[in-house]
Amino acid sequence: MHTRQVVGQVRYRICTDCAHGVITAVVIDERFHSTGLGTRALSHLRSRHPGLTWCSTLSKRTTRDLLRRMRIPTTTSVRPCPHVHQTLSAPTGPILASG
C-alpha cells in the first residue's frame, strides 16, 4: 500500500519585488537522509517560484552540502532586500514521501 506522509519541511522567505528567496530551514526525518528527498524538495521549490534568485542562511554541514550541490549560496543576512518588512513572506512547504 502506498501512503503519502510528511517527512520533512522546507522553510523559506521570498520577496516578489526583488525576485529573491532565502531558505531558512530544511528538516528531513533522519530515516530519509541520503535518499534524494532534500534535492527533490529544493528542486520543487525552485519550480514553484520560477525566476527567483535563491540563497540560504543555513550553516550545518548536512544542509550546507545539499545547498552546495544545488548551487544555492549561503548568506549571513536574513534581510535580502530593502522592502523586507512589506513583502517578505514565510511560507513553509512539507516534504512528502510515499511508503
Side-chain angles (χ1 to χ4, degrees), residues 1-5 97-99:
M1 178 162 80
H2 292 284
T3 59
R4 292 172 55 106
Q5 60 181 332
S98 297

Side-chain angles (χ1 to χ4, degrees), residues 23 26 36-47 54-56 62-73:
I23 299 167
V26 177
L37 278 178
T39 301
R40 287 177 52 194
L42 294 182
S43 294
H44 177 73
L45 180 64
R46 283 180 164 166
S47 70
W54 290 96
C55 67
S56 174
T62 54
T63 51
R64 190 176 60 230
D65 292 345
L66 170 63
L67 295 167
R68 187 177 305 127
R69 284 192 307 272
M70 297 293 297
R71 297 187 179 165
I72 298 173

Side-chain angles (χ1 to χ4, degrees), residues 28-43:
I28 301 173
D29 284 356
E30 187 150 345
R31 62 190 168 146
F32 291 100
H33 286 195
S34 301
T35 63
L37 278 178
T39 301
R40 287 177 52 194
L42 294 182
S43 294

Side-chain angles (χ1 to χ4, degrees), residues 15 78-89:
C15 175
V78 177
R79 299 188 90 198
C81 67
H83 1 77
V84 68
H85 62 283
Q86 296 172 352
T87 59
L88 201 61
S89 60

